[in-house]
């Protein structure tokens, strides 16, 4: 389990900020997560079968239809060595066909995904297709309407590596009280303003993976160096304009990552 998580985290860290525009889909019980590049329909997934963690890649395939109403026909392959509960399973993997039907429900993208294993080593699913309903995993604010690290993560939401400090990329201003102030630092001088309906992108530090959300009492230039548990106060999000807005659903709300 631990090595499987490290393997997934290493893939996520390696991807560039532009690749972060992919969509993250999750099953109802959270046991399966799929990161999908909406432009090329390349994917990375992590799932649990019979208590074991499996992870792998989906290769770009044939695409029919248009955004919100399209189908993908491709293939998948697990990555050997991810299932590590016993020495006999070090090289376990499955491979075969992968299909996905994308629709839209209540403004959120939904996938009907099907893994059809046809071969592999120690593969428990050959001849037993698995079909799952996966919903785009948009951030959900807490009871106070705030977005913190824990409820605004992109990718698979893993709690390790720089992924711990990467928030959702795409947001829209919803503040109805007037222009939304973007400040040089939390509670600082106003640098610019956004209008209701404006789309904003979460910002990064020079390394491309710093936190975009920090507490109002945080004075650090590079919050990615901090432990999330040490960050206190109302959350603020750093935008690509290098200023901060309050990270609360009263002011901003996440947008679907499916832009193509």
């Amino acid at each position: 389990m631990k090595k499987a998580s490290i393997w997934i985290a290493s893939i996520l860290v390696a991807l560039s900020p532009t690749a972060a525009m992919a969509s993250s889909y999750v099953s109802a019980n959270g046991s399966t997560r799929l990161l999908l590049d909406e432009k090329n329909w390349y994917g990375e997934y992590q799932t649990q079968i019979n208590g074991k963690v499996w992870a792998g890649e989906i290769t770009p395939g044939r695409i029919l239809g248009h955004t919100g109403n399209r189908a993908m026909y491709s293939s998948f392959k697990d990555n050997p060595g991810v299932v590590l509960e016993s020495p006999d399973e070090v090289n376990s993997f499955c491979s075969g066909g992968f299909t996905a039907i994308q629709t839209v429900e209540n403004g959120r993208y939904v996938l009907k995904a099907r893994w059809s294993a046809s071969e592999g080593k120690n593969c428990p699913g050959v001849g037993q297709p698995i079909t799952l309903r996966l919903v785009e995993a948009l951030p959900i604010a807490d009871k106070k309407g705030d977005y913190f690290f824990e409820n605004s993560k992109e990718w698979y939401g893993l709690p390790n590596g720089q992924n711990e400090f990467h928030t959702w990329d795409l947001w829209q201003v919803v503040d109805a009280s007037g222009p939304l102030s973007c400040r040089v630092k939390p509670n600082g001088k106003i640098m610019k303003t956004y209008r209701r309906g404006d789309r904003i992108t979460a910002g990064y530090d020079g390394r491309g993976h710093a936190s975009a959300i920090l507490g109002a009492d945080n004075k650090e230039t590079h919050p990615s160096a901090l432990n999330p548990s040490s960050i206190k106060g109302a959350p603020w999000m750093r935008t690509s304009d290098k200023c901060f807005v309050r990270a609360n659903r009263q002011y901003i709300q996440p947008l679907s990552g499916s832009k193509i």
Side-chain angles (χ1 to χ4, degrees):
M1 290 284 286
K2 183 178 180 181
K3 289 188 177 181
S5 295
I6 292 174
W7 179 85
I8 291 292
S10 67
I11 289 178
L12 304 182
V13 173
L15 293 174
S16 66
T18 55
M21 296 303 182
S23 295
S24 181
Y25 293 86
V26 63
S27 60
N29 63 6
S31 64
T32 300
R33 286 183 175 270
L34 169 65
L35 180 69
L36 188 64
D37 178 339
E38 295 287 345
K39 182 176 182 180
N40 302 305
W41 279 64
Y42 166 82
E44 305 277 359
Y45 60 85
Q46 180 182 27
T47 189
Q48 294 185 32
I49 300 176
N50 298 326
K52 297 181 175 64
V53 176
W54 299 74
E57 302 177 2
I58 296 169
T59 59
R62 184 165 59 100
I63 303 172
L64 301 177
H66 53 82
T67 302
N69 183 23
R70 56 185 174 180
M72 172 188 180
Y73 302 92
S74 187
S75 61
F76 80 94
K77 184 176 182 179
D78 298 327
N79 289 275
V82 175
V83 184
L84 298 173
E85 277 69 18
S86 72
D88 295 335
E89 295 173 334
V90 170
N91 293 315
S92 297
F93 71 92
C94 299
S95 63
F98 176 83
T99 61
I101 307 297
Q102 184 192 59
T103 56
V104 178
E105 296 180 15
N106 300 318
R108 187 175 297 189
Y109 287 82
V110 175
L111 287 182
K112 182 179 179 181
R114 181 183 177 92
W115 285 262
S116 301
S118 57
E119 58 183 345
K121 181 178 180 180
N122 297 324
C123 176
V126 173
Q128 302 177 37
I130 297 176
T131 301
L132 295 174
R133 181 178 184 273
L134 305 176
V135 179
E136 190 177 13
L138 298 183
I140 300 175
D142 67 10
K143 293 181 179 179
K144 294 183 179 180
D146 286 329
Y147 296 101
F148 284 98
F149 290 111
E150 293 77 7
N151 61 1
S152 63
K153 294 175 186 173
E154 169 67 291
W155 310 113
Y156 293 93
L158 292 175
N160 42 344
Q162 285 93 347
N163 185 52
E164 178 77 10
F165 302 97
H166 182 194
T167 192
W168 193 258
D169 285 285
L170 305 175
W171 301 79
Q172 186 168 37
V173 177
V174 294
D175 186 8
S177 62
L180 176 63
S181 297
C182 194
R183 302 174 184 272
V184 294
K185 65 180 181 179
N187 292 320
K189 181 180 178 181
I190 297 175
M191 177 177 169
K192 68 172 299 178
T193 59
Y194 298 112
R195 296 176 299 176
R196 184 179 184 183
D198 283 349
R199 296 189 175 193
I200 57 179
T201 303
Y204 301 84
D205 69 1
R207 294 170 294 173
H209 53 238
S211 167
I213 290 185
L214 65 157
D217 63 342
N218 190 315
K219 308 300 182 182
E220 297 291 333
T221 303
H222 299 292
S224 61
L226 300 177
N227 185 325
S229 63
S230 69
I231 296 176
K232 301 176 182 179
W236 291 71
M237 185 181 78
R238 185 177 189 269
T239 77
S240 57
D241 292 313
K242 298 182 180 180
C243 53
F244 294 85
V245 297
R246 270 286 280 116
N248 184 283
R249 66 184 173 205
Q250 178 180 347
Y251 308 106
I252 60 174
Q253 290 184 6
L255 287 172
S256 167
S258 300
K259 301 200 307 177
I260 303 304

